[in-house]
Amino acid sequence: MKKALAILWIMGFVVLVIGILINDNWKQEDLHTQFEAKAMVLATDESDVVKSGISKIGYQNLEVEIINGKYKGKKVKAVNQLVGKLDFDNFYRIGDKIIIGILEENNEIKDVKAIDIYRQGWQLILFGFFVVCLIAYARFTGLRALFSFVASLYAIWKFLIPGLLEGKEPLMLTAIVLTLLSAIIIFSVAGLTKKGFSAFVGTMSGLLVTIAITIFFGNKLELYGMTAPFAETLLFSGHLDLNMRHIFYAAIIIGASGAAMDIAMDVSASMEEIKLKKPDIDCRELIGSGFNVGKAVIGTMTTTLLLAYSGGYLTLLMLFMTKESSFSRIINLKIVSAEIMRTVVGSIGLVLVAPLTAVFAGWIYSTEFKSIFRALKTYEWKNKETVINTAEEKLKVR
């Protein structure tokens, strides 16, 4: 049975990955005149590049050989535009593998632009190493976790992002997608078990609380979402109708939901293990154990959130120190206030998810659902017998 389930999970994972790749390739190739290809840099010309300190501005002219697609083997001229922004610019060398954008007209190449270094190969190796570690340690559970990982990426990219760009209500759409993702992730890993249902209900409880807190304090702090990376670029690229404040709120909720799901599963799994080792434990004692587990997990998880968000803005914190900015000035800046809100809201969600999961798990682990179903069936059968006897008596009277 386990082998059959494993085969089904593998087939589902393969079909999902193939579907993503096919859909992605179809979008790139299709019948459009613009598409991307992989190329090797053969020669460079920096005569049109102006250097200013560590920044470079101008055009780096390249000669590249296309190494995949319909123009494989063809040597073409490409332009690498440098705008002086180190977070976007690339300065290519001979032998670099890069991604180029090709503009085609009448089945002929009209223009070629360098886009970025080709990093996909090493990314796949890194992801493959992650897959090997996951399956080697967790076996079948790791395979299910891998399926939920890829399914989550697919749902976010194919449903959440397009829905937000179409102008759908961000909070409602995010709540729906996160509910579906939570169900997929939790039940893929835990199955349709008491552990799975406990973790799911705990996660949903935390999601509702997080949404309410985010809306309330976001309005009080007067944060409008423009502190998010590329928010301004997104607006001025033709999406002025987007509700950036609610999109910012949605981002906070998405970030908090992952940690909430993690702690809900930790508490639920721990309580299941306690119940298995001590079957005669009563509901109150089991809930108390769940509370203790939750306290221990929360103690480190809140700090984990702080470190994760601080790591993303490490250079900004270094800049504050070099400028000797006052504490009051730092915490009142919009970008810092946004990150404080993100961290604290996520932490509040964690603090509330743990006890809610413990209470529900204590009830569900201490309830014999088989006995309930058996009692319901017995009641149903007795009710049928009563109806039959009544009908027979009426017939005898007639």
Side-chain angles (χ1 to χ4, degrees), residues 3-163:
K3 288 184 178 180
L5 287 172
I7 292 171
L8 287 174
W9 279 109
I10 293 172
M11 290 176 63
F13 173 71
V14 171
V15 168
L16 182 60
V17 172
I18 291 175
I20 294 172
L21 294 175
I22 290 175
N23 200 15
D24 187 56
N25 289 334
W26 174 83
K27 274 194 166 184
Q28 287 184 8
E29 300 295 334
D30 199 25
L31 298 176
H32 289 76
T33 57
Q34 296 182 14
F35 57 93
E36 297 165 5
K38 182 180 172 184
M40 173 81 74
V41 177
L42 302 177
T44 65
D45 179 8
E46 288 82 33
S47 58
D48 294 330
V49 176
V50 177
K51 297 182 180 180
S52 177
I54 60 173
S55 297
K56 300 178 179 68
I57 301 173
Y59 296 93
Q60 183 187 26
N61 298 304
L62 308 172
E63 182 182 355
V64 301
E65 180 180 350
I66 301 172
I67 54 180
N68 73 330
K70 62 187 293 186
Y71 293 107
K72 182 178 180 180
K74 188 176 181 64
K75 297 179 181 179
V76 295
K77 300 291 184 180
V79 176
N80 174 32
Q81 185 177 3
L82 303 168
V83 295
K85 297 192 69 174
L86 299 179
D87 51 341
F88 283 102
D89 288 346
N90 289 289
F91 201 73
Y92 302 114
R93 296 171 296 180
I94 295 174
D96 284 346
K97 291 182 180 179
I98 66 174
I99 296 293
I100 58 174
I102 299 175
L103 177 62
E104 186 183 56
E105 190 175 280
N106 297 324
N107 291 321
E108 292 184 358
I109 296 176
K110 183 179 180 181
D111 190 27
V112 180
K113 290 185 178 180
I115 297 176
D116 216 313
I117 292 287
Y118 181 80
R119 300 181 176 90
Q120 189 172 324
W122 285 107
Q123 289 172 347
L124 290 174
I125 291 173
L126 181 62
F127 183 74
F129 182 62
F130 160 68
V131 171
V132 170
C133 292
L134 184 64
I135 295 178
Y137 175 72
R139 306 290 180 178
F140 183 52
T141 301
L143 182 63
R144 290 183 292 182
L146 183 62
F147 173 81
S148 64
F149 180 87
V150 177
S152 299
L153 289 176
Y154 184 82
I156 291 171
W157 184 248
K158 295 298 181 182
F159 296 103
L160 180 61
I161 304 301

Side-chain angles (χ1 to χ4, degrees), residues 51-310:
K51 297 182 180 180
S52 177
I54 60 173
S55 297
K56 300 178 179 68
I57 301 173
Y59 296 93
Q60 183 187 26
N61 298 304
L62 308 172
E63 182 182 355
V64 301
E65 180 180 350
I66 301 172
I67 54 180
N68 73 330
K70 62 187 293 186
Y71 293 107
K72 182 178 180 180
K74 188 176 181 64
K75 297 179 181 179
V76 295
K77 300 291 184 180
V79 176
N80 174 32
Q81 185 177 3
L82 303 168
V83 295
K85 297 192 69 174
L86 299 179
D87 51 341
F88 283 102
D89 288 346
N90 289 289
F91 201 73
Y92 302 114
R93 296 171 296 180
I94 295 174
D96 284 346
K97 291 182 180 179
I98 66 174
I99 296 293
I100 58 174
I102 299 175
L103 177 62
E104 186 183 56
E105 190 175 280
N106 297 324
N107 291 321
E108 292 184 358
I109 296 176
K110 183 179 180 181
D111 190 27
V112 180
K113 290 185 178 180
I115 297 176
D116 216 313
I117 292 287
Y118 181 80
R119 300 181 176 90
Q120 189 172 324
W122 285 107
Q123 289 172 347
L124 290 174
I125 291 173
L126 181 62
F127 183 74
F129 182 62
F130 160 68
V131 171
V132 170
C133 292
L134 184 64
I135 295 178
Y137 175 72
R139 306 290 180 178
F140 183 52
T141 301
L143 182 63
R144 290 183 292 182
L146 183 62
F147 173 81
S148 64
F149 180 87
V150 177
S152 299
L153 289 176
Y154 184 82
I156 291 171
W157 184 248
K158 295 298 181 182
F159 296 103
L160 180 61
I161 304 301
L164 293 175
L165 289 173
E166 290 171 7
K168 295 179 181 177
E169 169 52 40
L171 291 175
M172 181 64 69
L173 179 63
T174 301
I176 294 171
V177 171
L178 287 179
T179 300
L180 294 174
L181 283 181
S182 298
I184 292 171
I185 295 168
I186 290 173
F187 294 126
S188 292
V189 175
L192 296 173
T193 60
K194 293 181 178 181
K195 178 173 67 176
F197 281 111
S198 301
F200 180 73
V201 172
T203 302
M204 289 299 98
S205 302
L207 176 63
L208 293 175
V209 172
T210 302
I211 291 174
I213 295 173
T214 300
I215 294 173
F216 179 80
F217 284 98
N219 294 334
K220 293 296 182 182
L221 293 172
E222 297 187 19
L223 297 172
Y224 301 102
M226 296 309 296
T227 56
F230 303 105
E232 187 175 336
T233 306
L234 177 62
L235 279 181
F236 292 109
S237 63
H239 297 283
L240 291 171
D241 57 331
L242 293 179
N243 188 338
M244 295 306 298
R245 170 180 274 190
H246 283 189
I247 290 175
F248 169 64
Y249 292 169
I252 293 176
I253 294 163
I254 291 171
S257 67
M261 196 183 311
D262 186 21
I263 197 169
M265 182 61 75
D266 288 344
V267 172
S268 180
S270 300
M271 293 176 69
E272 182 189 50
E273 193 68 18
I274 293 169
K275 183 66 175 177
L276 290 173
K277 298 298 182 183
K278 190 179 179 182
D280 58 339
I281 189 172
D282 61 28
C283 182
R284 174 175 287 187
E285 189 178 356
L286 184 58
I287 291 174
S289 298
F291 270 57
N292 292 333
V293 172
K295 291 174 186 176
V297 177
I298 285 172
T300 56
M301 188 64 75
T302 52
T303 308
T304 300
L305 287 178
L306 175 63
L307 294 175
Y309 293 135
S310 298

